[in-house]
Amino acid sequence: MKQTRVLIAGAGIAGLTAAHELAERGYLVTVVEALAAPGGKSRSIPVEGSATAGQQELPGEHGFRFFPGFYRHIPDTMARIPCVLADGSYGSVADNLAHTTRTLALSKKGRWEVPNQLRSSSRDAASLLSFLYDLFVGSGVDVPREDMLHYVRCVFTMLTSSDERRFGEFENISAWDYFQAPSRSEAYQKYVINAVTRTLVACRAADMSARSNVVVGIQLLSDIYRSCADRVLNGPTSEVWIAPWVTHLQHLGVEFIQGVSVENVLWDGDAARALQLSDGTELAADHFILALPLEALQSISNEEMLARAPSLARLDELKTEWMNGILFYLGQDIELNHGHTIFLDAPWALTSLCQQRFWPRGLKQYSDGTVRGILSVCISDFDAPGEYIRKPAKDCTPAEIQEEVWQQILAHLAPADRAELEAAVVIACSIDPSLRWTEQGMQNDAPLFVNTAGSWAARPEVDIGISNLFVSGDFVRTATDVATMESANESARHAVNRILDLTASSAARCQLFPLEEPTALTPLKVIDRLRFEAGLPHLLDLVPVFSGETMAWLGGMTSRVAEYSVKAGDIVRQLGWDQRLPEFESRAMRFINNLSRGVAPVSKWASNAPDSKSGTAEAQTNTSGVNTLINDVVGSINDKALADDLDKLRARLISALDQTDKHFREYGASHQRHLIDGVLADSLFQSGKRLRASCALLCSMLMRRFLSEEAVQVAIITESIHAATLLHDDIIDEADQRRGHPTAWKKYGVGAGVLAGNLLVSRAVRSLYRIGYNGLADDLFEVIESMIAAESDQLSGRRNLEACEQDYLRIIDGKTAGLFAWSCRAGATVGGCNAATVNATANFGRHMGLAFQLIDDVIDLAPDTDDTGKTRYTDLSTGLLTYPLLLARQRDPQGFDVLAANGFADAAEVSTWLVANEALEDTRAEAARQIAMGVEALLPVRHSAAKAALIELARASTKRLR
């Protein structure tokens, strides 16, 4: 029987794993590798020219090898690779894994130590979280207690979240936003969020997916309890792992072709026929695995390949970072730490390992035999300026990198450790040769894929849709997730299993090891899946205060849930109900969806009662559509806890608005020195609807449960800007009344009104800079400029009979909607919301502002409008062609000309004409459409009481439509 031939491109961990699994099952395997030696980024890289006669070259590397306890695929493979051990006996490569004792984290203020294995049978979630909390509180790095409680809460939320929520919600936000770092202390940002993320992988917290960050981070923490969190190799990687592996594969019949790269895939219809190599060779096979680095796969993914494998079309969206090693070869052994050391304050995000402490063979066989210690250091941030050279690593020479890394390490050490390291003479230094210095600057031939927020959607599966060609590597979707040797090994096993299936092989499939999380949390994940599918928030979002007592309670609760789950599972199996579980889940989902959509919203913000003043059928339909959408969204979060939250939030909001009004009243009462102060006292004391302030305050609570002082300041600022525009608008419109009182310019004169408005704007912007949000201040300047430009366009366009509806919408977008959008965006920003939420709120505010202005147009012109406290028909008297007038003109140009010739002097006649042409109703319909678009903009925002209140604020606006 003919053997199946498989051609593998790439001899990194993925390629070698695939070759191993296939060769053990009798397949003919050829591996093509572009480099001169196998192993990819994991191989040792001898320091060229460092050997003397009869000695080996110093062992260099891309970066030290790290084997945490949750790695299970790699050790499984290692256990099947025979080798000679350091003592001369025979064993497997798995025997070359050495356990470390502790992980040491150093800052310039303090230090903490993490034992890499705790002798404890306790593995419940609360113990893990308590341990995590204790690492930073009281460790000398000054992380506030409330910040660590918040961090633990976020971790526990992720642990008890379903996969549906993790991928549907947390995958798409960064760790920086998920942990709400912008609103927390500098120590929290620096030591807990940035440093931990940087040492996990070469990724910034501001970029990394929150899902990946927490899921893999909790694996490292759990390793302390279940095995060992940190293992290393007991010799150079190639000597104790890669070389024995290649020898074993050759014994299994694997053929290696090295020093040539894959240039192209050749096709036979929709199937791959051969790989074209850089030397012109074409290698044919039955099946192909592209186990290439991300950048290599991107280079060969041409139009012809993408046409057959569209899932590769988004490879260019995947991001890589640099994480490269530098080794210091020392004249004496050092005992800095028996494990990895993290330098928390190092701007280049350094971690180190004293390698020789784990090498039983010693170092005498390398170079001239004088090397006694190796300090292996990984640089994870090449973009931050150094502390001594004052340049990013990317801009440094090799000598500058050596000096800067050495000084950053020394700055973290206690006097005794510093003296020991300085006494260890540096005999030689080696920087990862993947870093090359060219005329264009530093280049990196081996960048590392990093999990950025939302990148899961762009990552391919091993099966890309081509019948006989698969991909594998650390960027492929796997349970391991982050770019590691483990994920590369796992992806290769998936690819091999696909080939086994396609060839109908009777051989056992490659074993796959899922990530393990505390089993007691499984019932809570099931509950969360139902809640997420029903549009409900996570249960922890309903816990107002998270404390140490909360953690203890959660620990006991999860243990009890686990016990009850076991008992319930036994009963379910005895009754045979487990066979009907899909049916039960389906029924439960239908029940929850129907419940959430069928119950009326519970908030007291606005009434659903129909208004007797209804318009045309078309307007009723549009308004009904808005209410349906609002009911649908608000109803989806309608449970009792959130109903209570809405009432509590309403009280907090009223209190904050009262505080805003109190600020204005006190301001007016205490500033009576000159004429302008009298204008301010009058205008600020006249409290209006405060819609913009309400939007700002609510948006600040979309990701938190309290109103900060910054949020109240933003509410005051946005109302100050609004008050300034009213002062100026009343002058421009020559309005006599505002909120039932004489307008400022009528009472104090035009000059005082203009100057008072300018003063309000100046003080509002200065307040933003004072509270530290310079970016928001810059944005506000743009909004103010847009308002001025729009007002100018409106002035120049008065009595412009060529204007159209789009012209007017553009003007009110700048004049009114821009400030609504800024209010929402500013509130969300000071509330620590992620970028996606900030953008969503800004879109909501913009549509809200457009609708608000359109409704004002109707109110000004409708014949049945009640007293609004403003001068009626100012738009007509000043010649402003508003949306209803423009619509009616389009439908009855002759009637418009007659009214225009009379200067729209008879307001009642104009109102009657607008009603007859259904212009008012269609303006209401356009306003309803804008509100619907605003509500829709909030759909991606996670559900909360603040979101419900925002939506019902839109509902309140619909009452003004009628």
Side-chain angles (χ1 to χ4, degrees):
M1 182 177 179
K2 177 187 174 184
Q3 286 183 288
T4 302
R5 179 173 294 278
V6 182
L7 181 57
I8 300 173
I13 300 303
L16 295 177
T17 301
H20 192 158
E21 300 292 346
L22 287 165
E24 282 187 339
R25 291 162 174 81
Y27 288 77
L28 296 176
V29 180
T30 299
V31 179
V32 178
E33 170 55 47
L35 298 174
K41 290 189 286 285
S42 298
R43 74 192 189 282
S44 299
I45 309 172
V47 180
E48 188 175 352
S50 62
T52 58
Q55 295 284 97
Q56 300 180 46
E57 292 177 314
L58 289 170
E61 59 189 341
H62 175 73
F64 50 68
R65 304 275 67 81
F66 168 50
F67 300 85
F70 76 88
Y71 279 20
R72 298 167 69 194
H73 296 93
I74 287 286
D76 175 75
T77 298
M78 287 178 161
R80 291 182 279 130
I81 304 171
C83 70
V84 178
L85 303 179
D87 61 2
S89 64
Y90 289 94
S92 72
V93 167
D95 296 319
N96 289 329
L97 287 176
H99 287 213
T100 63
T101 304
R102 65 177 185 173
T103 297
L104 178 63
L106 301 177
S107 78
K108 295 177 182 177
K109 295 181 178 180
R111 56 188 278 155
W112 49 257
E113 300 176 7
V114 182
N116 289 334
Q117 187 170 15
L118 288 175
R119 298 184 181 279
S120 171
S121 59
S122 176
R123 292 170 55 182
D124 62 85
S127 297
L128 293 176
L129 296 178
S130 296
F131 179 76
L132 181 62
Y133 171 85
D134 292 337
L135 286 181
F136 290 94
V137 176
S139 62
V141 293
D142 298 330
V143 179
R145 177 179 180 274
E146 58 273 17
D147 285 352
M148 277 312 300
L149 284 172
H150 172 74
Y151 182 77
V152 169
R153 176 187 187 136
C154 291
V155 171
F156 193 74
T157 298
M158 185 73 74
L159 275 175
T160 53
S161 292
S162 61
D163 285 342
E164 288 78 8
R165 189 182 300 278
R166 289 181 180 182
F167 284 95
E169 184 175 344
F170 300 140
E171 162 64 19
N172 299 311
I173 62 176
S174 70
W176 184 258
D177 289 332
Y178 175 73
F179 289 115
Q180 298 181 12
S183 62
R184 298 283 164 177
S185 66
E186 181 181 358
Y188 175 82
Q189 295 172 349
K190 186 174 185 178
Y191 300 127
V192 183
I193 307 304
N194 276 334
V196 170
T197 302
R198 270 301 195 187
T199 52
L200 179 65
V201 288
C203 189
R204 295 174 176 86
D207 297 328
M208 188 178 189
S209 156
R211 177 189 64 82
S212 299
N213 183 290
V214 180
V215 170
V216 175
I218 204 65
Q219 291 296 316
L220 293 172
L221 183 63
S222 299
D223 284 344
I224 298 171
Y225 285 84
R226 63 191 174 199
S227 54
C228 180
D230 187 2
R231 295 168 294 182
V232 297
L233 288 168
N234 65 359
T237 308
S238 289
E239 289 183 32
V240 301
W241 180 19
I242 303 300
W245 198 1
V246 172
T247 299
H248 178 59
L249 294 180
Q250 289 172 329
H251 287 162
L252 293 174
V254 176
E255 177 188 7
F256 285 87
I257 301 175
Q258 297 176 170
V260 290
S261 60
V262 175
E263 297 289 321
N264 197 13
V265 179
L266 305 178
W267 305 96
D268 183 5
D270 288 333
R273 174 177 60 83
L275 298 183
Q276 186 176 45
L277 307 184
S278 56
D279 63 359
T281 305
E282 294 182 9
L283 292 181
D286 300 303
H287 295 274
F288 303 84
I289 297 177
L290 300 179
L292 298 169
L294 173 60
E295 62 275 12
L297 182 59
Q298 289 171 331
S299 68
I300 67 170
S301 296
N302 53 31
E303 291 183 7
E304 192 174 11
M305 186 168 178
L306 294 180
R308 294 171 170 84
S311 64
L312 299 181
R314 299 182 63 181
L315 285 179
D316 289 341
E317 298 178 27
L318 301 181
K319 186 177 180 180
T320 58
E321 290 281 359
W322 294 13
M323 188 176 186
N324 299 74
I326 175 172
L327 289 91
F328 296 92
Y329 301 95
L330 308 176
Q332 68 181 46
D333 188 6
I334 60 172
E335 299 183 3
L336 180 61
N337 182 38
H338 194 269
H340 288 92
T341 300
I342 305 168
F343 301 94
L344 294 172
D345 287 320
W348 287 2
L350 305 180
T351 49
S352 74
L353 178 71
C354 298
Q355 289 185 317
Q356 81 290 341
R357 302 199 67 188
F358 305 95
W359 292 7
R361 291 181 176 87
L363 300 171
K364 292 183 179 180
Q365 67 270 36
Y366 301 108
S367 185
D368 59 0
T370 60
V371 172
R372 293 290 182 269
I374 300 179
L375 181 64
S376 179
V377 184
C378 267
I379 305 171
S380 296
D381 193 333
F382 279 77
D383 297 313
E387 288 183 318
Y388 304 92
I389 306 296
R390 302 284 183 184
K391 293 191 295 185
K394 283 183 178 178
D395 297 336
C396 290
T397 64
E400 288 174 333
I401 289 178
Q402 177 181 343
E403 179 63 22
E404 178 68 30
V405 169
W406 188 258
Q407 292 299 329
Q408 286 187 27
I409 290 174
L410 289 176
H412 284 75
L413 300 181
D417 291 332
R418 182 184 180 111
E420 180 188 22
L421 185 58
E422 288 179 321
V425 179
V426 178
I427 295 176
C429 181
S430 170
I431 298 177
D432 178 8
S434 298
L435 298 176
R436 295 181 294 107
W437 280 260
T438 68
E439 293 181 357
Q440 292 74 37
M442 187 188 296
Q443 306 294 317
N444 192 339
D445 293 335
L448 182 68
F449 163 71
V450 291
N451 304 55
T452 54
S455 62
W456 181 266
R459 295 166 61 181
E461 303 276 1
V462 294
D463 191 339
I464 58 175
I466 297 172
S467 61
N468 65 338
L469 185 145
F470 306 92
V471 297
S472 65
D474 56 15
F475 58 90
V476 174
R477 293 181 182 179
T478 61
T480 307
D481 194 31
V482 296
T484 58
M485 299 179 293
E486 177 77 353
S487 59
N489 186 295
E490 181 189 348
S491 72
R493 292 173 182 238
H494 282 287
V496 170
N497 283 345
R498 289 293 295 124
I499 292 175
L500 296 177
D501 292 341
L502 289 171
T503 56
S505 172
S506 60
R509 278 15 182 196
C510 302
Q511 189 172 3
L512 297 169
F513 302 93
L515 294 180
E516 295 180 348
E517 294 183 9
T519 55
L521 302 181
T522 302
L524 295 178
K525 293 179 184 178
V526 173
I527 293 171
D528 185 65
R529 177 168 63 85
L530 296 174
R531 291 182 63 84
F532 179 77
E533 294 294 344
L536 298 172
H538 190 279
L539 281 171
L540 268 188
D541 288 341
L542 309 179
V543 178
V545 178
F546 197 85
S547 63
E549 291 75 16
T550 309
M551 287 196 296
W553 175 82
L554 286 172
M557 182 269 292
T558 52
S559 297
R560 289 193 297 273
V561 167
E563 294 173 6
Y564 294 150
S565 298
V566 172
K567 295 177 181 177
D570 291 339
I571 296 173
V572 165
R573 282 186 290 274
Q574 290 172 11
L575 297 176
W577 288 355
D578 55 325
Q579 304 301 317
R580 300 177 61 190
L581 183 59
E583 176 190 345
F584 289 148
E585 288 183 350
S586 177
R587 287 185 180 181
M589 287 305 305
R590 286 199 301 272
F591 172 76
I592 290 175
N593 281 323
N594 291 335
L595 181 65
S596 64
R597 295 178 181 276
V599 180
V602 295
S603 171
K604 301 173 183 176
W605 284 78
S607 171
N608 285 323
D611 197 311
S612 59
K613 298 178 181 179
S614 55
T616 63
E618 181 182 1
Q620 290 177 6
T621 300
N622 278 281
T623 305
S624 174
V626 177
N627 284 324
T628 298
L629 177 59
I630 293 172
N631 277 324
D632 190 44
V633 178
V634 178
S636 69
I637 62 168
N638 183 35
D639 62 15
K640 184 180 185 304
L642 280 176
D644 294 340
D645 270 359
L646 279 168
D647 289 337
K648 294 175 184 176
L649 183 143
R650 180 172 183 269
R652 288 196 294 270
L653 185 64
I654 290 173
S655 175
L657 291 175
D658 286 345
Q659 186 177 343
T660 303
D661 285 340
K662 180 181 177 183
H663 167 88
F664 289 143
R665 286 194 296 273
E666 292 175 349
Y667 182 86
S670 62
H671 291 71
Q672 292 291 335
R673 295 186 302 275
H674 47 69
L675 186 61
I676 296 177
D677 294 328
V679 179
L680 294 177
D682 276 5
S683 60
L684 295 176
F685 183 76
Q686 297 170 15
S687 175
K689 291 176 284 294
R690 302 293 193 221
L691 282 178
R692 296 157 190 81
S694 298
C695 287
L697 293 167
L698 289 170
C699 288
S700 77
M701 297 182 69
L702 288 172
M703 296 188 73
R704 56 170 57 158
R705 291 180 170 273
F706 62 91
L707 275 171
S708 65
E709 179 58 32
E710 289 87 353
V712 176
Q713 285 299 313
V714 165
I716 292 171
I717 289 165
T718 192
E719 283 300 320
S720 298
I721 297 294
H722 177 51
T725 64
L726 295 183
L727 285 169
H728 292 163
D729 285 351
D730 286 343
I731 295 170
I732 294 170
D733 296 338
E734 300 179 3
D736 296 330
Q737 279 194 328
R738 169 70 62 181
R739 296 168 185 151
H741 298 273
T743 52
W745 76 274
K746 291 289 288 184
K747 186 174 179 180
Y748 297 97
V750 172
V754 170
L755 292 174
N758 293 346
L759 185 60
L760 277 176
V761 171
S762 172
R763 287 177 173 168
V765 175
R766 187 173 62 179
S767 295
L768 270 176
Y769 283 117
R770 186 181 297 117
I771 64 176
Y773 286 89
N774 297 4
L776 285 178
D778 294 340
D779 290 344
L780 184 57
F781 277 127
E782 292 185 12
V783 170
I784 293 170
E785 289 176 7
S786 296
M787 294 169 73
I788 294 171
E791 189 67 56
S792 175
D793 288 346
Q794 192 172 64
L795 275 173
S796 63
R798 285 184 172 177
R799 307 189 191 282
N800 176 14
L801 302 184
E802 301 301 321
C804 65
E805 297 94 315
Q806 292 307 313
D807 293 329
Y808 186 65
L809 287 174
R810 176 180 53 79
I811 287 173
I812 67 172
D813 181 66
K815 180 182 174 182
T816 303
L819 185 56
F820 268 93
W822 183 88
S823 302
C824 293
R825 180 168 67 246
T829 299
V830 301
C833 295
N834 57 61
T837 299
V838 171
N839 292 334
T841 59
N843 287 333
F844 167 81
R846 187 167 298 281
H847 290 296
M848 186 85 170
L850 290 171
F852 183 84
Q853 186 60 60
L854 288 166
I855 296 167
D856 259 12
D857 292 348
V858 174
I859 290 172
D860 187 61
L861 296 171
D864 54 357
T865 300
D866 297 329
D867 184 18
T868 63
K870 296 192 294 184
T871 305
R872 292 285 306 278
Y873 306 119
T874 54
D875 294 338
L876 289 179
S877 62
T878 57
L880 178 61
L881 301 185
T882 57
Y883 197 80
L885 284 169
L886 294 170
L887 281 180
R889 184 192 66 178
Q890 186 180 41
R891 294 164 185 176
D892 182 11
Q894 291 181 345
F896 177 85
D897 291 341
V898 171
L899 294 170
N902 193 30
F904 302 106
D906 190 338
E909 183 181 4
V910 174
S911 294
T912 303
W913 176 70
L914 290 171
V915 171
N917 284 286
E918 299 183 348
L920 295 177
E921 292 307 323
D922 284 351
T923 303
R924 290 187 181 100
E926 175 60 25
R929 189 177 74 86
Q930 293 293 339
I931 290 173
M933 293 168 68
V935 173
E936 187 176 3
L938 290 179
L939 290 177
V941 178
R942 73 176 186 177
H943 297 308
S944 65
K947 176 180 174 180
L950 271 177
I951 294 170
E952 293 209 45
L953 199 60
R955 177 203 300 276
S957 295
T958 65
K959 295 179 66 179
R960 302 171 70 236
L961 289 173
R962 305 183 180 95

